[in-house]
Amino acid sequence: MENVEERNKTFISEFILLGFGNDPELQPLLFLVFLVIYLLTLAGNFLIIALVVTDQHLHTPMYFFLGNLACLETCYSSAILPRLLAGLLSGDRSISVKGCIVQLYFFAVISATENLLLAAMSYDRYLAICHPLRYVVLMNGWVCMKLVVGSWISSFLGIAIVNNFLFQLRFCDFKEIDHFFCDISPLLKVSCDDTQTLQILSFIVAAVGTLVPCLLTLASYVCIITAILRIPSASGRRKAFSTCSSHLIVVTLYYGIVITVYVVPTASTPYLLQKVLSVFYTVLTPLINPVIYCLRNKEVNDSLEKAVHKLVSCSNRRGSQQDKF
């Protein structure tokens, strides 16, 4: 009987990402909104990368991590938005099964790497504030490089374990995924195989990849806040807190949205609400982070002002030279 049912199943080779509906009047507006967000995200993060690379004053561990975070946010947006924009523009929302799993893989790798990188940044701030005399020795260039490379490699390997099982799944009958990108929960729902083992495995990997960095970040900031409160002068406390306030805002925003998207929703939560929350997590966070660092960080602000002054002076010189000719 099972063999007959197996033969009657129609296995599919592609999915349809339903996205945000089929309203033809809404598609151009959505395309424009997401295109602007994507371009601003690229511009903001590339600006931070350029400032960190070109300004000697930003060649410190803190800004080394910040430059890597900006690079990570660029990859984050590029893993999702180009495919979404192409679907909104052409109306073709189909994606192959392999393409969907590959998109999920890179999305998951970047998410796991960001968790670890934020933990490394909090550890950097912990050493700078709680152990300032040994900071240069403990957080040297080699240590920074190992933390960043280790974050990427561990994420690639950890997510590859889950992805290996995903490639073995078969999908039948249901082609439609009610999401705007390939996330693991909607993908497992349309599989015709038993996914209970894979659900447990993905939960374990996600818990380790998210909970452990979150606890390390939390522990670092408990020590940081305790150390700041021990500083006798108010100006000293403000100066110490200013060095980590931007990162604290980014961490709070990031984990707040992650918890809202993946922990708070229940089976009764409408799909539309889950998709809107996912937009905050996957699309808006990479856009907001450069704004936070530019507004809240004095050294980044100073570097940006210097860069603008240089550009203005260069353009004025070119204009005056052209006037002479």
Side-chain angles (χ1 to χ4, degrees):
M1 186 68 180
E2 290 182 1
N3 291 332
V4 174
E5 291 181 357
E6 192 78 16
R7 287 196 299 268
N8 289 335
K9 290 180 179 178
T10 303
F11 296 102
I12 60 175
S13 59
E14 66 176 20
F15 297 120
I16 305 295
L17 296 174
L18 297 181
F20 299 96
N22 294 315
D23 189 349
E25 296 180 357
L26 189 60
Q27 304 309 304
L29 178 60
L30 288 174
F31 174 80
L32 182 62
V33 169
F34 284 116
L35 178 62
V36 170
I37 290 174
Y38 185 49
L39 293 177
L40 289 176
T41 300
L42 293 180
N45 285 291
F46 278 133
L47 176 62
I48 287 182
I49 294 170
L51 292 175
V52 170
V53 171
T54 58
D55 194 334
Q56 293 289 334
H57 296 94
L58 300 183
H59 289 182
T60 62
M62 174 180 172
Y63 295 106
F64 173 76
F65 289 126
L66 178 58
N68 278 275
L69 181 64
C71 180
L72 194 70
E73 300 289 20
T74 303
C75 297
Y76 214 150
S77 295
S78 299
I80 295 173
L81 282 179
R83 180 66 191 80
L84 175 61
L85 290 170
L88 290 171
L89 184 63
S90 65
D92 181 13
R93 304 183 183 186
S94 62
I95 183 172
S96 66
V97 171
K98 289 184 178 179
C100 190
I101 296 174
V102 168
Q103 185 190 53
L104 172 59
Y105 176 70
F106 283 108
F107 167 72
V109 166
I110 294 167
S111 299
T113 305
E114 183 162 8
N115 292 333
L116 295 171
L117 190 57
L118 289 174
M121 294 175 75
S122 65
Y123 176 63
D124 169 70
R125 292 298 84 206
Y126 160 74
L127 291 178
I129 293 173
C130 299
H131 302 281
L133 299 179
R134 296 195 296 158
Y135 174 69
V136 177
V137 176
L138 295 174
M139 188 57 73
N140 55 51
W142 179 238
V143 173
C144 294
M145 186 63 68
K146 286 195 293 186
L147 286 172
V148 171
V149 174
S151 297
W152 279 104
I153 291 176
S154 58
S155 298
F156 271 113
L157 295 178
I159 303 303
I161 297 173
V162 178
N163 238 52
N164 182 52
F165 286 94
L166 279 174
F167 272 113
Q168 298 175 22
L169 289 181
R170 295 172 299 174
F171 302 91
C172 51
D173 300 330
F174 296 104
K175 295 180 63 174
E176 296 181 342
I177 294 180
D178 195 7
H179 217 313
F180 62 92
F181 73 99
C182 295
D183 204 356
I184 189 162
S185 296
L187 196 62
L188 293 180
K189 287 179 181 178
V190 296
S191 174
C192 51
D193 291 331
D194 182 12
T195 60
Q196 185 174 0
T197 303
L198 185 53
Q199 286 178 11
I200 296 172
L201 177 62
S202 61
F203 175 78
I204 294 171
V205 172
V208 172
T210 303
L211 186 60
V212 172
C214 182
L215 291 176
L216 290 174
T217 302
L218 182 61
S220 296
Y221 271 104
V222 168
C223 295
I224 288 170
I225 293 171
T226 303
I228 290 175
L229 292 176
R230 289 175 182 169
I231 298 174
S233 65
S235 60
R237 288 194 296 269
R238 281 196 300 270
K239 185 178 180 181
F241 186 73
S242 66
T243 62
C244 61
S245 59
S246 299
H247 181 255
L248 181 59
I249 293 171
V250 168
V251 166
T252 304
L253 182 67
Y254 176 78
Y255 281 112
I257 295 175
V258 167
I259 292 170
T260 303
V261 172
Y262 290 105
V263 179
V264 175
T266 61
S268 60
T269 305
Y271 277 118
L272 180 59
L273 179 58
Q274 290 187 23
K275 283 187 279 189
V276 171
L277 293 173
S278 296
V279 169
F280 280 94
Y281 171 48
T282 59
V283 177
L284 294 182
T285 300
L287 171 65
I288 294 171
N289 285 352
V291 177
I292 293 173
Y293 277 106
C294 287
L295 291 178
R296 298 284 306 179
N297 192 291
K298 185 178 182 300
E299 290 179 311
V300 173
N301 266 322
D302 292 342
S303 178
L304 182 58
E305 287 179 8
K306 290 177 184 177
V308 171
H309 286 318
K310 286 182 180 179
L311 289 175
V312 172
S313 61
C314 287
S315 63
N316 289 337
R317 287 175 187 173
R318 289 178 182 176
S320 60
Q321 288 176 356
Q322 288 176 356
D323 291 340
K324 289 179 181 180
F325 290 107

